Amino acid sequence: MSQVFGTPRNPAHTVTRTDRFGRPISLDLRTPEGNSVLFTGPPGMGKTLELDRAEALARRQGWVGIRVDASPREPLENRFVRKVTEDLGTIRKRYGMLGARRLKKLVKDLGQRTRNRQNGAEIRVMPVPFVQGVAKTQWDANAQDSAGTTLNELADQLGELAANRKPPEPVLLMVDNLDVASERDLAALTELSAHLEQMRRPVFLIAAGGELAATRLMAASGGLSKIATGVTGRFDVREVNAMTDDELMPALTEPLRQAGIAYEPEAVDRLVRSANGDPTRLRDLAETALPMAQQSGGVTVDVAKVATAQVNDKSRVLYQAAWNNCSDTEKDLLAKVAAHGPHGLALPGDTGIAALGRWQELDADRQNLVARGMLRDGGDRITVADPGLRDWVQTRVGQSAAHLGIAPPTAPAQAQAAVTESTRPTTTREYKGMTFHLNS
């Protein structure tokens, strides 16, 4: 099946995304607006794929590209130092022995600095006659002066090497998964972006994170980094949002055509509508439909119906887990939006919450659900992003009760009760970027 549609990281057909001005959002030879690019969007929309494309561009052009994932447990500068150390062979081939030697010395110094060793001793007094002496060594990874200066110095050295090439060559510093980055790491990135802007060297910061990434970066820019310039003024923000049906359809039809698999236009329309602009859901639908299509001579309307039902049925346990992860007020908002069907809910008038003086709480719930990919914000209306989830919520809480706003968040799960039995073996699954431990 993967031979027909490729893999999530290497799809068989590359879809060209554009911004509201009609420009491709993927990084290309077009100069970014500044030295920092931020890809943002809901889970599953292809932010990591955009970093894959940037990395592939650097590889094709022979540029140096250093890529890391943010981590809640390890400082970002440690990850960059280790990655540069691993890539010294490639850097040596590109910039020569002398340049690589200087960079090697720098990363060695930076590695020692980011692990600021402190020796000491501790005396533990225990009931007489016991006295215990303990020698201690600890590592201080929270020194404020290392949060941004490590990345800045690394960028300076790489920028000097890149600028000495004729013509100068870009260096890409790539960071994925900003959603789990610590405040300290975010502050370091805002400091780095400001430094790159001032440095005027061909070094670019390419980052990816969810809907709240820009907001978190702005909050961090006023903290440890003390950078006054606004994040949105430095970062070229490129939104990886839901796609239109016309944009998404070739991701289904082109692989089918190349594989010689027939399809009915109405069947393709059904699958694309069910995907609702989500390329990850379309892949699930397409790969579910493929075995049936190979047996029945093509993707027919019946195949599309069965595939959609199977994907929705398979996702019920994930819908339940995502629902359980919501607060009571988030469940209430999700139920109200689902009750209004594909057209969603207009804000703030249709909810009734604003009239009760709870607009701020409602807006926080909306932002959280949008960030988790459960709701989609169209500006004047919000809708449930996944049609399968919308139908599941309607069934779970009862459509009429949801319309009245009286459905309790603890309503019986009915048909979904079986999926929460604790006697079943536990498996790990992901939905909308969240990892759940589920009964299988």
Side-chain angles (χ1 to χ4, degrees), residues 332 335-336 339 394 396-408 411:
D332 186 51
K336 285 181 169 64
Q394 287 179 350
R396 190 187 195 287
V397 303
Q399 191 172 22
S400 60
H403 269 301
L404 295 173
I406 60 175

Side-chain angles (χ1 to χ4, degrees), residues 78-107:
N78 288 17
R79 295 200 152 204
F80 265 116
V81 167
R82 185 169 64 251
K83 183 62 177 174
V84 171
T85 303
E86 293 172 357
D87 292 349
L88 278 174
T90 301
I91 294 172
R92 184 181 300 111
K93 292 178 182 178
R94 197 66 189 167
Y95 300 125
M97 291 291 296
L98 181 60
R101 188 179 300 118
R102 291 200 303 268
L103 185 60
K104 182 178 180 180
K105 182 181 184 303
L106 174 65
V107 294

Side-chain angles (χ1 to χ4, degrees), residues 93-353:
K93 292 178 182 178
R94 197 66 189 167
Y95 300 125
M97 291 291 296
L98 181 60
R101 188 179 300 118
R102 291 200 303 268
L103 185 60
K104 182 178 180 180
K105 182 181 184 303
L106 174 65
V107 294
K108 181 179 179 180
D109 293 343
L110 293 177
Q112 293 174 346
R113 183 191 309 168
T114 56
R115 301 179 68 217
N116 182 18
R117 185 172 183 173
Q118 298 177 344
N119 294 316
E122 176 183 338
I123 301 296
R124 296 178 182 172
V125 179
M126 303 178 69
V128 178
F130 301 105
V131 176
Q132 182 179 25
V134 181
K136 295 182 64 179
T137 298
Q138 65 185 28
W139 305 96
D140 179 13
N142 296 314
Q144 291 189 3
D145 60 354
S146 72
T149 54
T150 297
L151 296 185
N152 292 353
E153 290 183 42
L154 192 59
D156 285 343
Q157 185 65 61
L158 289 168
E160 182 179 339
L161 295 176
N164 288 336
R165 296 282 296 183
K166 303 300 181 185
E169 294 180 348
V171 172
L172 305 186
L173 301 178
M174 294 167 279
V175 185
D176 199 2
N177 206 20
L178 284 189
D179 301 310
V180 301
S182 67
E183 295 301 315
R184 179 175 179 273
D185 282 348
L186 294 174
L189 288 179
T190 61
E191 204 166 296
L192 176 62
S193 69
H195 184 72
L196 293 178
E197 185 178 55
Q198 297 168 0
M199 191 172 66
R200 302 294 183 182
R201 291 282 176 81
V203 181
F204 297 90
L205 172 61
I206 316 297
E211 294 274 3
L212 300 180
T215 301
R216 292 191 65 207
L217 282 168
M218 282 191 285
S221 69
L224 177 63
S225 65
K226 297 182 175 63
I227 301 297
T229 307
V231 168
T232 54
R234 288 196 309 273
F235 278 86
D236 178 4
V237 180
R238 305 187 180 193
E239 298 179 350
V240 188
N241 289 326
M243 306 172 69
T244 67
D245 289 353
D246 289 341
E247 289 175 327
L248 196 56
M249 189 172 294
L252 175 61
T253 57
E254 283 302 306
L256 291 175
R257 183 185 61 79
Q258 293 173 9
I261 300 174
Y263 58 85
E264 296 177 358
E266 185 180 348
V268 168
D269 287 342
R270 281 180 173 271
L271 292 175
V272 172
R273 286 199 304 272
S274 181
N276 197 30
D278 186 336
T280 300
R281 179 171 166 85
L282 180 63
R283 170 176 292 278
D284 289 343
L285 292 165
E287 292 187 341
T288 302
L290 188 57
M292 292 181 285
Q294 292 171 330
Q295 294 176 2
S296 60
V299 180
T300 64
V301 171
D302 288 339
V303 166
K305 290 180 179 178
V306 173
T308 301
Q310 288 183 359
V311 168
N312 290 345
D313 185 66
K314 181 177 63 176
S315 299
R316 283 180 179 176
V317 64
L318 300 178
Y319 297 152
Q320 178 72 61
W323 174 268
N324 292 343
N325 199 45
C326 294
S327 68
D328 287 351
T329 55
E330 287 172 348
K331 291 174 182 177
D332 186 51
L333 176 59
L334 186 60
K336 285 181 169 64
V337 177
H340 283 70
H343 299 295
L345 187 68
L347 287 177
D350 289 351
T351 63
I353 297 180

